[in-house]
């Protein structure tokens, strides 16, 4: 990958340019789909966090929900407004605000960077086991210890708690009534392919009866899993 300072695609004007769903997905997959770990120079660019936490999840949403539909434009918004993107429908002259959040966090990034500094490479934070405080941590990788069924349950529960936390944080803010919320979750170590139905049922049970957003979407980081929930109609 080119150095961020020389990459013309890592600028607000290019990232915010309206594109059809197919064009937007292709733009993201060709330029930002294969980003290495913390050592990748991509992370030196101040917009890298927005790409990782907004642009890439938005592309996953567009790929699954709009597919090859015509008459739709995906418009990322990198300002400080109360949404991260707009979906514009050409024929109806209407738009929908999209708010995006991810279950990864700064703590995960810090753990990865510490592991990188010590070992010269870094697996995902979900695969790092550590003990002790920053500056004096002892690291191992999860695969070194093997993964017992209890470890699997712990990882799932941790990921589910983060999904609920992200939803509840967004729920406390004031959004337009027609806003859609997209939560990008870990479907590598968190909820795996054979556990997605379990996640779907838990979300339906815990969140949907009091859903604040017009629609809620869960997009897996792998790009393979996508869940859609609609606000229940009032009786």
């Amino acid at each position: 990958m080119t150095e961020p300072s020389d990459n013309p695609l890592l600028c607000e004007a290019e990232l915010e340019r309206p594109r059809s769903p197919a064009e937007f997905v292709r733009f993201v997959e060709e330029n930002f789909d294969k980003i290495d770990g913390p050592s990748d120079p991509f992370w030196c660019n101040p917009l890298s966090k927005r790409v990782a936490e907004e642009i890439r999840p938005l592309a996953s949403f567009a790929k699954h929900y709009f597919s090859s539909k015509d008459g739709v434009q995906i418009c990322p918004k990198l300002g400080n407004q109360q949404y991260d993107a707009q979906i514009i429908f050409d024929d109806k002259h209407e738009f929908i605000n999209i708010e995006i959040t991810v279950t990864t966090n700064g703590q995960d990034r810090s753990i990865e960077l510490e592991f990188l500094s010590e070992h010269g490479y870094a697996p995902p934070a979900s695969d790092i086991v550590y003990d002790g405080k920053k500056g004096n941590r002892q690291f191992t990788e999860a695969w070194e210890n093997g993964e017992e069924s209890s470890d699997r349950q712990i990882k799932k529960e941790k990921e589910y708690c983060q999904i609920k936390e992200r939803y509840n944080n967004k729920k406390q803010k004031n959004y337009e009534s027609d806003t859609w919320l997209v939560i990008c979750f870990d479907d590598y170590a968190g909820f795996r392919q054979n556990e997605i139905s379990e996640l779907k049922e838990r979300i339906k049970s815990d969140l949907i009866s009091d859903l604040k957003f017009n629609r809620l979407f869960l997009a897996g980081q792998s790009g393979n899993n996508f869940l859609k929930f609609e606000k229940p109609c009032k009786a």
Side-chain angles (χ1 to χ4, degrees), residues 48-57 84 100-102 104-106 184:
S48 61
K49 187 173 186 291
R50 305 295 292 270
V51 170
E53 298 183 1
E54 297 175 20
I55 300 296
R56 290 174 66 179
D84 298 314
I100 303 168
T101 187
V102 296
T104 54
N105 53 46
C184 185

Side-chain angles (χ1 to χ4, degrees), residues 6 13 39 68-69 78 114 121 133 135 164 166 170 174:
D6 298 327
S39 60
S68 59
K69 289 183 181 178
L78 301 180
E114 284 187 56
Y121 73 97
K133 295 183 178 181
K164 286 185 65 175
R166 298 305 186 274
K170 297 297 182 181
N174 294 320

Side-chain angles (χ1 to χ4, degrees), residues 33-35 56 60 103-104 112 123-127 147 151-152 155-156 159 184-196 199 219-225:
D33 197 43
K34 299 185 184 301
I35 299 170
R56 290 174 66 179
S60 179
T103 58
T104 54
E112 290 175 352
S126 57
D127 287 342
E147 186 175 60
D151 295 327
R152 210 42 243 119
K155 287 185 178 181
K156 285 195 299 183
E159 185 64 19
C184 185
F185 71 99
D186 178 5
D187 59 345
Y188 290 106
F191 282 86
R192 294 175 176 170
Q193 184 68 44
N194 64 338
E195 299 162 339
I196 298 301
L199 172 62
Q221 293 176 6
S222 71
N224 297 323
N225 295 297

Side-chain angles (χ1 to χ4, degrees), residues 45-219:
N45 190 290
L47 288 175
S48 61
K49 187 173 186 291
R50 305 295 292 270
V51 170
E53 298 183 1
E54 297 175 20
I55 300 296
R56 290 174 66 179
L58 181 61
S60 179
F61 162 76
K63 182 176 183 178
H64 284 280
Y65 192 74
F66 288 105
S67 186
S68 59
K69 289 183 181 178
D70 296 323
V72 178
Q73 288 190 316
I74 309 295
C75 306
K77 302 291 183 180
L78 301 180
N80 295 320
Q81 65 288 318
Q82 287 192 314
Y83 51 86
D84 298 314
Q86 287 187 319
I87 309 300
I88 299 177
F89 299 90
D90 296 341
D91 56 342
K92 299 179 180 179
H93 303 289
E94 295 179 352
F95 62 86
I96 294 173
N97 294 334
I98 305 291
E99 178 69 2
I100 303 168
T101 187
V102 296
T103 58
T104 54
N105 53 46
Q107 173 72 4
D108 289 342
R109 178 62 55 192
S110 176
I111 294 298
E112 290 175 352
L113 289 171
E114 284 187 56
F115 193 101
L116 172 69
S117 176
E118 184 172 323
H119 297 278
Y121 73 97
S126 57
D127 287 342
I128 299 175
V129 178
Y130 63 90
D131 183 48
K133 295 183 178 181
K134 184 174 181 179
N136 193 34
R137 290 191 175 110
Q138 300 298 315
F139 292 105
T140 59
E141 291 185 66
W143 62 265
E144 294 179 11
N145 304 325
E147 186 175 60
E148 302 294 338
S149 58
S150 58
D151 295 327
R152 210 42 243 119
Q153 190 60 36
I154 289 171
K155 287 185 178 181
K156 285 195 299 183
E157 198 59 34
K158 175 185 175 183
E159 185 64 19
Y160 187 69
C161 288
Q162 289 182 344
I163 291 171
K164 286 185 65 175
E165 179 184 355
R166 298 305 186 274
Y167 172 76
N168 287 326
N169 286 344
K170 297 297 182 181
K171 182 181 176 181
Q172 303 305 317
K173 300 179 181 180
N174 294 320
Y175 293 99
E176 296 292 333
S177 59
D178 61 349
T179 300
W180 294 1
L181 176 64
V182 177
I183 301 177
C184 185
F185 71 99
D186 178 5
D187 59 345
Y188 290 106
F191 282 86
R192 294 175 176 170
Q193 184 68 44
N194 64 338
E195 299 162 339
I196 298 301
S197 59
E198 174 190 345
L199 172 62
K200 181 177 181 179
E201 292 306 313
R202 293 185 70 177
I203 293 293
K204 286 170 64 177
S205 174
D206 293 350
L207 303 182
I208 302 307
S209 62
D210 189 33
L211 186 61
K212 176 178 179 179
F213 297 89
N214 190 273
R215 294 184 186 180
L216 169 66
F217 302 89
L218 267 64

